[in-house]
Amino acid sequence: MDVAVVAYDGVFDSGLSAVLDVLEAANAMRGELPQPPPAWNVTTVGPRRRVRTGAGHTVATAPAAEAEGADLVLVPALAERRPDALVERVSGRGTAAVRRLVAATRERGTPLASACTGTFLLAESGVLDGRRATTNWWLAPVFRQRYPAVTVDETRMVTSCDGVTTAGAAFGHVDLALAVVRMSSPALADLVARYLVVDERPSQSAYTIPSALAQHDPTVAAFERWVRQRLEEPIGIAEAARALGVGERTLQRAVRRVLGVSPVRFVQDLRVEQATHLLRTTDLPVEVVARRVGYEHANTLRVLLRDRAGTTAGALRGR
């Protein structure tokens, strides 16, 4: 497989190097398998012969035109974590050449891949419209608002849809590169992960901080504060809306617009977050922790921990 990795001014250093390192490791370890897959021919391309990374390092690149013959074009993240500045940069003149490259790649039908803030470049280029994608969990509300034509699933670490593969937050580049390897050889991807000591991370849910997401909208932020004060109690959405001075449908729409989930789901996420904290920091029995976060039966909490955080009460306590 010929892979073109796009380097550009402001590219996230760790994202670029993680992709290159994982693919190089896969090439080095191919021979350890009885039936090795074909090698990955990786070329770093860019809009200029030399680009400067987000950390100020200079990277030599091949001409962007070499991406035309690639079997996969991979766009690492942009080194920008401030939402307003990120949107300004992905839509500005500085990344116009990258957006044109992405759009042209999609027109040829060549598969694309990106991670973290790089997914904003794909979305800005229009190639994610009508498709499902993931991105950095804490930038998901901004992404969802700017690109309503994209179905965002920030809970997953890697998502593939119609030839476009996207991955989650910054070090999701490792997961993205392993997914590229897994397309050709699941056995080799597992081998590389073991050598690099990379745990399987199918979901971003365990890393999500609900309160950080809620701050993107005043109504949702007020709802989050109201719920946190009543985690031990039964919580009704109609009651919450009355307490906040808004209509129930208004609250439903605000939470859905910002977080992409229902208010009930958000309440569950807050309860799982608090239960996780209690299990890690106290010796309270699981039954007591469950009641502290509003669940009469401990098994309800156990199911939610497994489904939302991908863990168990025992594992959290062991940490």
Side-chain angles (χ1 to χ4, degrees):
M1 176 183 285
D2 291 328
V3 180
V5 179
V6 183
Y8 53 95
D9 285 338
V11 69
F12 180 51
D13 293 66
S14 294
L16 174 62
S17 60
V19 167
L20 297 176
D21 286 344
V22 169
L23 294 178
E24 175 59 29
N27 278 334
M29 296 178 194
R30 288 172 53 249
E32 298 188 28
L33 298 181
Q35 295 179 321
W40 286 267
N41 180 30
V42 183
T43 304
T44 303
V45 304
R48 299 196 316 278
R49 297 305 298 266
R50 291 184 179 274
V51 299
R52 188 171 295 277
T53 68
H57 299 290
T58 301
V59 175
T61 66
E66 293 196 18
E68 294 180 7
D71 301 304
L72 172 71
V73 174
L74 194 153
V75 183
L78 178 68
E80 179 57 72
R81 56 181 290 114
R82 298 167 298 171
D84 291 345
L86 173 61
V87 170
E88 183 177 349
R89 292 186 67 179
V90 300
S91 62
R93 294 177 57 187
T95 57
V98 178
R99 297 196 305 273
R100 288 194 297 270
L101 172 60
V102 167
T105 297
R106 189 60 194 173
E107 286 183 9
R108 291 193 300 272
T110 302
L112 280 160
S114 189
C116 192
T117 54
T119 58
F120 279 72
L121 279 169
L122 266 59
E124 195 70 28
S125 305
V127 303
L128 293 181
D129 287 357
R131 296 181 174 88
R132 187 179 69 258
T134 191
T135 187
N136 188 324
W137 67 261
W138 59 270
L139 287 172
V142 179
F143 189 101
R144 188 177 286 110
Q145 181 177 18
R146 183 165 180 83
Y147 310 113
V150 185
T151 300
V152 184
D153 181 5
E154 74 273 24
T155 64
R156 301 194 61 78
M157 193 63 73
V158 179
T159 296
S160 292
C161 182
D162 191 23
V164 183
T165 302
T166 52
F171 291 101
H173 286 85
V174 174
D175 304 87
L176 179 66
L178 285 172
V180 171
V181 176
R182 189 168 286 109
M183 292 174 189
S184 296
S185 174
L188 182 56
D190 292 341
L191 182 64
V192 171
R194 293 185 69 177
Y195 269 97
L196 298 182
V197 195
V198 179
D199 293 331
E200 184 179 7
R201 300 178 297 177
S203 172
Q204 295 187 80
S205 299
Y207 307 92
T208 300
I209 305 172
S211 57
L213 298 176
Q215 302 314 306
H216 289 271
D217 181 272
T219 298
V220 181
F223 177 58
E224 184 245 351
R225 291 191 297 270
W226 187 88
V227 171
R228 283 191 184 277
Q229 295 169 1
R230 297 163 175 81
L231 284 179
E232 293 187 35
E233 308 169 10
I235 292 175
I237 305 306
E239 178 189 2
R242 286 194 298 271
L244 299 178
V246 299
E248 184 176 354
R249 294 183 64 181
T250 298
L251 178 59
Q252 295 269 5
R253 286 195 297 267
V255 174
R256 179 71 66 178
R257 182 182 66 252
V258 175
L259 307 179
V261 298
S262 68
V264 171
R265 169 69 182 244
F266 184 49
V267 171
Q268 291 173 341
D269 289 342
L270 292 175
R271 284 174 161 159
V272 168
E273 180 193 57
Q274 179 63 9
T276 299
H277 171 72
L278 292 173
L279 288 167
R280 284 177 170 173
T281 59
T282 74
D283 294 324
L284 293 172
V286 178
E287 292 74 13
V288 175
V289 171
R291 289 194 294 272
R292 290 275 185 94
V293 296
Y295 296 119
E296 183 178 353
H297 301 293
N299 193 52
T300 303
L301 176 60
R302 290 189 178 98
V303 170
L304 284 171
L305 285 171
R306 185 170 60 250
D307 292 347
R308 304 293 170 81
T311 189
T312 65
L316 290 170
R317 182 132 287 165
R319 294 176 189 173

